[in-house]
Amino acid sequence: MAAPIINTGIQTAKYCNVAGLGVLIFDYFLTLGHEVRWTWNTGWRFNRVIFVISRYMPFVAASMTAYAAIAARINENCSRFSSASNAIHIISIVAAEGLLIIRTYAFWGRNKKILAFLLVVAAICISCAVSITQVVSNLLSVPANPSDPPTSNCTFEAGRSSAIQYGFLVAFELLLISLTVYKRYQDYRDSDSRIMKLVFQGGVLYMTAIIFVSVVNIIIMSVVPISYDEMMDVPQLVLHSMLASRILFGLHQSDQEEKEGTLLLPLSTFCPA
């Protein structure tokens, strides 16, 4: 009775990941106008490099995952492909988190101490997430029996230890949203500016959505049958890219409205680049 459950789980995970690629493509064309307006005419500064990585690297990562989902790779060695795919996934999410750091840095009036603090915490979280996940994965792995026939390692499954990475991701995102809320009520508590409310509420809403999906991913990897654990792989990546880009677009729009004199509260310190 276990085989049908595993097959159903793997098939469901494949459908979700292929669908995630479709959503990413659809959203790209949906927001291409914003990208052209706010980024194409800017210089190649650090912010734009991070944006390009978070915007376009997910296409590579999602395509590799979709290929792994639909391709028949019997009796192949997929170790290198899986390692490359995982690395690109991590780079994509880290770049998206970089945009969230830029957004928090801008919200804090481009405070250098906050930026340094966030970069140090981010480096610690990345190092701990990768190293601890690898250690736990090695501890949980079952040694292969030499007498068993060779099997393919191209299964569309991840280990339970992958939930650790998303745990660190949630912790860091909670830090970002906490700093945003604190700054909002410390410096702009009495502000009635509509733009300020939109900037704050939009950022908090997007980060809350990202945290929610990360928590869902942790639950799936920790509780449901292991055959479902790749179900949110691409959707998580896609949501990070989509919402982080929208946060950056919002910062550019706020800065433009200030320059045009339509901003009711000075937000020159919000300029993201």
Side-chain angles (χ1 to χ4, degrees), residues 194-208:
R194 182 183 64 86
I195 298 297
M196 165 56 71
K197 292 180 180 179
L198 290 176
V199 170
F200 171 74
Q201 292 173 358
V204 170
L205 178 63
Y206 289 155
M207 284 193 284
T208 300

Side-chain angles (χ1 to χ4, degrees), residues 3-33:
I5 296 177
I6 295 177
N7 291 338
T8 301
I10 293 177
Q11 201 65 30
T12 301
K14 290 180 177 181
Y15 288 150
C16 289
N17 281 276
V18 174
L21 176 58
V23 171
L24 180 63
I25 295 173
F26 174 77
D27 181 76
Y28 173 78
F29 289 104
L30 194 65
T31 57
L32 182 59

Side-chain angles (χ1 to χ4, degrees), residues 143-159:
N145 190 337
S147 61
D148 292 340
T151 57
S152 172
N153 60 356
C154 297
T155 56
F156 198 72
E157 294 179 2

Side-chain angles (χ1 to χ4, degrees), residues 229-250:
D229 60 7
E230 289 275 20
M231 189 169 71
M232 293 296 293
D233 189 17
V234 170
Q236 169 100 35
L237 181 72
V238 168
L239 189 69
H240 263 83
S241 176
M242 288 169 49
L243 298 186
S245 296
R246 279 169 167 76
I247 288 175
L248 189 65
F249 294 152

